[in-house]
Amino acid sequence: LGLEVADLQPLPSLSPTGAHHPMLRTVRHLLFPDLSSYGAEPGMGLLDPDPAEHARELLAAAKPHHRRAVELALCDLYGRRAEAIVRLPRGVERALAHRLLHDPRDLPLLLNFIQCGLWLAFSLTLQLTLLPRDGGLSARAVGLFVVHVVVTWAILGQRFILGMHFAAHRTLISPRVPGAALLNALPQLVLANFWGMPAGMYYLHHVVMHHASNNLFSWDLSGTNSYRRDSPLALLHYIANFALHTFLYLPYYAVVKRRFGLAGFALGSTGAYFAAFHALHAYHPAAFWISLGFSSVLGPVALMAGNFGQHQFINPADPADNYGLTVNLVKAPFNMLTFNDGYHIVHHLNSVCHWSEMPLQFIKNLDKYEKHDALVFHSLDYNEMSALIYTRQLRKLASYCVQLRAEPRTTDQLVALFEERLQPLPQAGAPLDLPKKSIFGLQQLLWLGLYAGGMPSAIFPALMVPVFAALSLVEA
């Protein structure tokens, strides 16, 4: 769009440089979108009639000590979206946006699901046709595995997982479309399995449990408050806890919350998930391990490492305050891949806020962010932020902090604030009582039984049982 803000200050880039060939630039931008200029497409239905004028108005209305935050958030508000790699003819996209979608602004979300479905169908077809059913490890199998993992996880992983995340919070396909309920369920029922998230479990886990219990363990199984969140060992324990105990804990949680329909659906979908895994492994072991088996291990690790990073900083003064239990990451390239996932405070304040509006909601409520002493960083994704925490580089992390106070903190003061918000807060949540411990123990026995009964994909959680026990002793 050619939009320029004269006072916008340059930021250090964390993405690779030096790729000048057009093809190399294209490949690089699949993983590291260019945030050097504005440029979302008006045809994607995301923009105001005059974004340049809107940007000037927002900057003019900002308090002097908030101006920097506004400048940075504008890059996400009007950045060139990169979620959809596969594009359709403009007329087709326009028809899909206005005839199929509940909100036309979700066209990138729909295109993202289409490209993920097309890729999975193509990759699985190659595996089933090029690899023999009874064949063992071969160069062809290794090649197909490498290609599948690179495309599925490195290129499409963030795009799909965060696309499914926002589609779980807001209706994607308009209810007036025949079969809308089934179409809206497809990402969670079918596609999610290829990213290690069992059919039908994500909504119960994320929307019903995580947001309702608001990151407070033990009701929220993915709560981070009880951990020392600058410890890699704590992260491993957190991942193991989730990987081991999800399948039975989520139906238990639903029953306790009197969501009996969801509990029954979770148990039924879990049974179908295990049956489908067993059947595909028996039919074609190589295709199973390439498409589903590997992801069933990597998925929980990636999902929980990401959630741990999102909730690594917690304000001990009020651990349930949405401004203090997570962070916002602004002008970060990954926002263009993940439907603005960096705006996690905004998301916890209003989980149905449209992803395209999140930077604007941040800008409009900067006074509240300042009042609640919220943490905001620029140019980092959650993994990069976490890496600085685990390697004790808090002073370097302070250089990426976007301060919202009229009198900014010094670096030493920021480091002290970071250390305070990384301390474990077990008193903030509920104790791990006998019913929950019983569910955990039963789930561990179930994993061991499934592996002993010949289910190969149960090997990872079965091995995690003694690891979890050892880490529990260390953490204690």
Side-chain angles (χ1 to χ4, degrees):
L1 293 173
L3 174 62
E4 295 179 357
V5 180
D7 297 331
L8 189 63
Q9 302 174 36
L11 295 171
S13 173
L14 297 182
S15 60
T17 58
H20 300 294
H21 190 279
M23 182 175 292
L24 293 178
R25 262 200 316 272
T26 299
V27 173
R28 179 166 65 90
H29 289 168
L30 289 176
L31 301 176
F32 302 97
D34 183 9
L35 289 181
S36 62
S37 64
Y38 300 93
E41 291 183 47
M44 297 294 269
L46 306 179
L47 302 183
D48 302 281
D50 187 352
E53 181 60 29
H54 189 216
R56 284 190 287 269
E57 291 173 358
L58 292 172
L59 283 166
K63 293 180 179 179
H65 59 286
H66 290 166
R67 185 179 177 87
R68 177 67 166 155
V70 175
E71 292 173 346
L72 296 167
L74 282 171
C75 295
D76 297 315
L77 182 62
Y78 292 121
R80 188 179 297 279
R81 306 311 310 181
E83 291 91 352
I85 303 168
V86 174
R87 300 298 303 273
L88 302 174
R90 187 170 295 275
V92 175
E93 290 187 351
R94 189 178 299 113
L96 289 173
H98 293 283
R99 297 180 185 178
L100 188 67
L101 297 179
H102 186 60
D103 188 330
R105 294 175 298 176
D106 283 328
L107 178 61
L109 202 60
L110 176 64
L111 295 176
N112 176 47
F113 289 146
I114 290 173
Q115 71 192 10
C116 289
L118 290 173
W119 162 249
L120 291 174
F122 175 72
S123 180
L124 191 56
T125 299
L126 287 181
Q127 296 162 38
L128 293 174
T129 55
L130 297 181
L131 299 177
R133 287 180 53 185
D134 56 353
L137 187 65
S138 66
R140 179 178 291 178
V142 171
L144 288 175
F145 170 77
V146 170
V147 172
H148 181 85
V149 170
V150 168
V151 177
T152 303
W153 282 99
I155 296 177
L156 296 178
Q158 291 187 91
R159 290 173 165 94
F160 173 76
I161 292 172
L162 275 305
M164 183 189 67
H165 163 249
F166 284 109
H169 282 283
R170 292 173 56 95
T171 300
L172 178 62
I173 305 299
S174 171
R176 68 177 182 270
V177 175
L182 178 60
L183 292 173
N184 281 317
L186 282 177
Q188 292 186 56
L189 284 179
V190 180
L191 298 181
N193 298 281
F194 294 89
W195 278 273
M197 291 169 283
M201 300 293 276
Y202 184 80
Y203 179 82
L204 175 54
H205 160 239
H206 182 76
V207 179
V208 176
M209 181 187 72
H210 177 63
H211 275 273
S213 297
N214 218 25
N215 193 56
L216 293 178
F217 187 82
S218 63
W219 281 119
D220 182 1
L221 187 63
S222 54
T224 62
N225 59 286
S226 61
Y227 289 93
R228 182 173 179 85
R229 294 173 301 281
D230 58 356
S231 166
L233 285 179
L235 172 63
L236 290 176
H237 184 274
Y238 176 78
I239 292 171
N241 182 43
F242 179 82
L244 282 175
H245 305 133
T246 306
F247 283 103
L248 291 186
Y249 181 81
L250 288 177
Y252 163 78
Y253 179 91
V255 168
V256 170
K257 299 299 180 180
R258 304 189 67 80
R259 302 290 294 271
F260 301 116
L262 271 177
F265 179 76
L267 288 172
S269 62
T270 297
Y273 171 81
F274 284 126
F277 262 46
H278 182 74
L280 182 57
H281 181 267
Y283 175 73
H284 203 302
F288 165 80
W289 282 112
I290 294 172
S291 291
L292 293 169
F294 177 77
S295 290
S296 72
V297 175
L298 182 58
V301 173
L303 201 66
M304 286 300 98
N307 195 76
F308 198 81
Q310 289 173 331
H311 297 281
Q312 209 151 2
F313 287 113
I314 301 177
N315 188 346
D318 189 359
D321 176 26
N322 287 315
Y323 290 96
L325 57 77
T326 183
V327 300
N328 275 356
L329 304 181
V330 300
K331 203 188 178 186
F334 89 111
N335 279 331
M336 298 297 105
L337 303 173
T338 61
F339 305 93
N340 290 325
D341 182 52
Y343 290 81
H344 210 60
I345 295 176
V346 179
H347 180 60
H348 268 265
L349 288 168
N350 180 7
S351 64
V352 295
C353 176
H354 194 270
W355 58 269
S356 68
E357 297 176 4
M358 294 169 81
L360 183 60
Q361 290 302 312
F362 169 63
I363 292 171
K364 287 183 174 181
N365 292 283
L366 279 168
D367 285 339
K368 295 180 181 178
Y369 282 80
E370 179 183 358
K371 178 182 177 181
H372 288 264
D373 206 12
L375 285 177
V376 180
F377 300 95
H378 69 74
S379 304
L380 301 172
D381 63 27
Y382 295 109
N383 293 327
E384 291 164 338
M385 183 190 78
S386 294
L388 293 176
I389 293 171
Y390 296 137
T391 56
R392 316 290 183 184
Q393 299 184 71
L394 295 183
R395 298 185 71 84
K396 183 174 182 178
L397 180 60
S399 68
Y400 292 97
C401 187
V402 182
Q403 301 209 49
L404 304 177
R405 302 182 352 152
E407 295 184 9
R409 289 183 171 91
T410 65
T411 298
D412 288 339
Q413 289 172 330
L414 282 175
V415 169
L417 178 67
F418 297 162
E419 290 175 338
E420 179 186 48
R421 295 196 181 186
L422 291 167
Q423 298 302 312
L425 303 165
Q427 72 281 2
L432 192 62
D433 54 24
L434 181 60
K436 295 171 191 169
K437 290 179 179 178
S438 300
I439 291 292
F440 285 11
L442 183 61
Q443 177 73 80
Q444 292 179 27
L445 289 174
L446 178 62
W447 283 123
L448 293 171
L450 287 171
Y451 180 63
M455 181 177 231
S457 61
I459 184 172
F460 172 66
L463 290 174
M464 289 299 292
V465 170
V467 173
F468 178 76
L471 289 172
S472 297
L473 291 174
V474 171
E475 285 298 299

